[in-house]
């Protein structure tokens, strides 16, 4: 039920007094982009969209919401895949979008850290690090529009997890506005700090359900001065896992990315993404895009890569391979991988799964899940890609008869149930990097043990007793 009109008007007026005209959106047309998700799967309503410019304003908004029992939906770049930043249909909540809090606060090159506001666009943080001759490794297809606050709230992964870890591993400190509007200033730049519970990890990956991240101190790394990118074609998924082991033997931890794509991912990209083209003459069922990097300039990376690929060809893991000759070619190869989600969106209604299993079990998982889907949905088209080095696959499917992209087809969970059932058999995870949001909330209940759910609920109740922080998400 929506709030009484006069109550809502009073709330909006008080929000306006906190954030001013620039920080408040109430016009329905202007609010619309904030009320639907990237996949356009969820459509919500809200009393207002607020765009605070400082931690003080965030805290004042949250205090007002605590007083009026108004739910708050934190929102970053709104690129999330699980509907986690979209309010429900009641119209009672407000959206709190962090986009105006986009300052790089301080880069400490000697400490290898950068302090940022939560609304910083990920690519801008990468650029700031580069300007200081440093590297911030978090990298994903949405980096031009997702925000670091959203990345931390979802514990984002991306293409460099293999070497640098996921978002959680890249954080030293956080500032958070908690559910009653107090500010927890845990903005530390320390690499060692064993002073009790490590609170920052509660808020990382919590999808805004425990508090609002307003600032972060992030780790920086030495800038890679040489890198080599290659695309390899292969006959089966087993070959990809074998190639990863081979590359590890040859090149150690200089493998920074190792991505798998089924051939039909590439065909879909060629169909829908202008300027993309095939780089290898012979068609094979699977492809790997791998990158090696080194902090030493002119290191012998390319020779080592060539030797490893040649051994792969000799041992029949690799059918054919191309090594990028320059940066432009490397970018063109990366574009093939990074535009798969966009190409799938253009192609039609795709059932997405973001699963993780042990790296060694990836081929068996692909075989078992494909068999299960083909039995249940004859003619299903499986679009499989992902971060093999992390055991993370986006095991997506187009289902015959569901070309009609309507609400009923979108809401159907039968495809997910089949895939998640196989994930469970493999001791895997139903969400490797995208989070739970609203799209996997019910599935989470089926896959977590009672005690895990009970502990999670205890934390939620302790930190957000009135269930105002992004309600209806995760739990
Ligand atoms: C083309 C494309 C490619 C992608 N590739 C990857 C990939 O490789 N790896 C990956 O992990 N993800 C990927 N994603 C998913 C998405 O980009 C990530 O989940 C990203 O981290 C979300 O950031 P955001 O700023 O857009 O957050 P939003 O979508 O705005 O929000 C996501 C969640 O975080 C919460 N939130 C946002 N900001 C805050 C804050 N300041 N404090 C507390 N909670 C907050 C929201 O309430 C919501 O629960 C991809 C998305 C697209 C569109």
């Amino acid at each position: 039920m929506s709030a009484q009109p006069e109550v809502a008007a009073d709330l909006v007026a008080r929000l306006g007094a906190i954030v001013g005209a620039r920080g408040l959106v109430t016009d329905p047309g202007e609010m619309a982009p904030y009320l639907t998700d990237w996949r356009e799967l969820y459509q919500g309503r809200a009393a207002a969209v607020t765009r605070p410019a400082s931690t003080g304003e965030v805290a004042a908004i949250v205090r007002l919401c605590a007083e009026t029992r108004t739910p708050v939906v934190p929102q970053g770049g709104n690129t999330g895949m699980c509907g986690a930043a979209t309010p429900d249909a009641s119209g009672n909540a407000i959206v709190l979008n962090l986009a105006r809090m986009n300052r790089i606060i301080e880069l400490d090159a000697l400490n290898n850290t950068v302090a940022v506001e939560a609304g910083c666009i990920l690519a801008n943080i990468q650029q700031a690090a580069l300007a200081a001759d440093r590297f911030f490794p978090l990298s994903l297809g949405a980096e031009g529009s997702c925000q670091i606050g959203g990345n931390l709230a979802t514990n984002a992964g991306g293409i460099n997890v293999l070497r640098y870890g996921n978002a959680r591993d890249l954080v030293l400190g956080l500032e958070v506005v908690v559910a009653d509007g107090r500010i927890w200033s845990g903005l530390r730049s320390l690499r060692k700090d064993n002073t009790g519970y490590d609170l920052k990890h509660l808020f990382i990956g919590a999808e805004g359900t425990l508090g609002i991240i307003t600032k972060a101190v992030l780790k920086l790394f030495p800038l890679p001065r040489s890198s080599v990118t290659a695309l390899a074609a292969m006959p089966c998924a087993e070959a990809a896992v074998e190639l990863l082991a081979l590359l590890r033997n040859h090149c150690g931890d200089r493998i920074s990315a190792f991505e798998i794509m089924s051939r039909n991912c590439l065909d879909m990209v060629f169909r829908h993404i202008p300027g993309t083209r095939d780089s290898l003459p012979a068609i094979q069922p699977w492809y790997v895009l791998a990158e090696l990097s080194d902090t030493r300039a002119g290191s012998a990376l390319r020779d080592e890569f060539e030797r490893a690929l040649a051994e792969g060809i000799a041992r029949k893991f690799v059918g054919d391979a191309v090594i990028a000759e320059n940066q432009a070619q490397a970018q063109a190869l990366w574009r093939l991988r990074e535009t798969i989600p966009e190409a799938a969106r253009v192609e039609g209604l795709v059932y997405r799964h973001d699963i993780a299993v042990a790296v060694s079990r990836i081929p068996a998982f692909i075989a078992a899940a494909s068999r299960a889907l083909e039995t249940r949905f004859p003619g299903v088209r499986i679009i499989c890609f992902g971060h093999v080095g992390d055991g993370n696959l986006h095991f997506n499917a187009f289902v015959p008869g569901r070309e009609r992209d309507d609400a009923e087809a979108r809401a159907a969970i039968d495809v997910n149930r089949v895939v998640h059932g196989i994930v469970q058999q493999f001791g895997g995870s139903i969400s490797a990097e995208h989070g739970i949001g609203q799209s996997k909330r019910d599935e989470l209940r089926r896959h977590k043990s009672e005690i895990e759910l009970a502990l999670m609920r205890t934390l939620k109740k302790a930190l957000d007793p009135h269930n105002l922080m992004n309600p209806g998400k995760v739990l």
Side-chain angles (χ1 to χ4, degrees), residues 199-220:
L199 295 178
K200 63 179 179 290
H201 287 301
L202 283 181
F203 300 99
I204 299 170
E207 300 181 54
T209 60
L210 300 179
I212 297 173
I213 299 169
T214 45
K215 293 187 185 122
V217 176
L218 307 168
K219 290 183 197 168
L220 299 177

Side-chain angles (χ1 to χ4, degrees), residues 166-394:
N166 47 25
R168 184 184 296 283
D169 301 308
L170 303 174
V171 182
L172 292 179
L174 283 187
E175 178 188 82
V176 177
V177 172
V178 296
D180 60 8
R182 283 178 300 161
I183 301 168
W184 170 55
S185 185
L187 213 56
R188 304 185 183 104
S189 310
L190 307 174
R191 283 184 165 72
K192 286 190 166 181
D193 179 18
N194 278 352
T195 50
Y197 305 139
D198 198 339
L199 295 178
K200 63 179 179 290
H201 287 301
L202 283 181
F203 300 99
I204 299 170
E207 300 181 54
T209 60
L210 300 179
I212 297 173
I213 299 169
T214 45
K215 293 187 185 122
V217 176
L218 307 168
K219 290 183 197 168
L220 299 177
F221 294 82
L223 189 63
R225 298 194 188 279
S226 55
S227 71
V228 187
T229 305
L231 182 70
M234 51 205 53
C236 55
E238 284 83 353
V241 175
E242 294 285 359
L243 179 63
L244 175 61
L246 184 77
L247 268 180
R248 277 215 159 109
N249 282 345
H250 276 262
C251 308
D253 66 0
R254 280 172 299 169
I255 312 172
S256 46
F258 194 91
E259 303 283 306
I260 195 170
M261 305 172 269
S262 55
R263 172 70 206 186
N264 55 5
C265 291
L266 292 183
D267 290 335
M268 198 173 62
V269 166
F270 300 144
R271 265 198 299 284
H272 299 299
I273 307 293
T276 54
R277 61 179 188 81
D278 216 345
S279 316
L280 290 170
I283 292 177
Q284 298 261 350
W286 292 94
Y287 291 77
V288 157
L289 183 63
E291 188 165 284
L292 302 184
S293 60
D294 200 313
T295 51
R296 286 170 303 173
S299 70
L301 274 187
R302 191 189 166 97
D303 293 347
E304 285 181 49
F305 214 166
E306 276 176 359
R307 271 199 296 278
L309 287 171
E311 188 180 331
I313 289 172
R315 292 170 63 185
K316 307 258 189 286
F317 305 152
V318 178
D320 197 3
V322 58
I323 297 186
E325 292 297 334
N326 50 43
Q327 198 54 26
Q329 282 184 14
Q331 278 168 0
L333 292 180
W334 271 110
R335 192 144 180 263
L336 299 179
R337 164 63 185 86
E338 283 168 352
T339 54
I340 297 171
E342 181 57 36
R345 189 164 76 153
V346 180
E347 181 102 343
L349 173 62
V350 61
Y351 289 85
R352 294 175 194 259
H353 309 96
D354 165 39
I355 68 96
V357 294
V359 173
S360 52
R361 304 194 76 192
I362 283 179
F365 170 82
I366 292 175
S370 302
R371 247 190 336 266
L373 277 184
E374 280 153 10
T375 307
R376 175 81 167 73
F377 304 99
V380 67
R381 200 152 48 96
I382 294 161
I383 301 285
C384 179
F385 61 100
H387 318 289
V388 177
D390 317 327
N392 177 193
L393 293 177
H394 301 303

Side-chain angles (χ1 to χ4, degrees), residues 38 74-81 84-85 98 118 140-142 146-147 149-151 153-154 156-158 207-208 211-213 341 387 433-434 470:
W38 187 83
Q75 190 178 78
N78 203 12
T79 67
M81 293 286 187
L98 278 296
L140 42 117
C146 63
Q147 299 172 8
N151 300 145
T154 56
E207 300 181 54
I212 297 173
I213 299 169
H387 318 289
E433 60 176 10
H434 290 162
N470 213 1

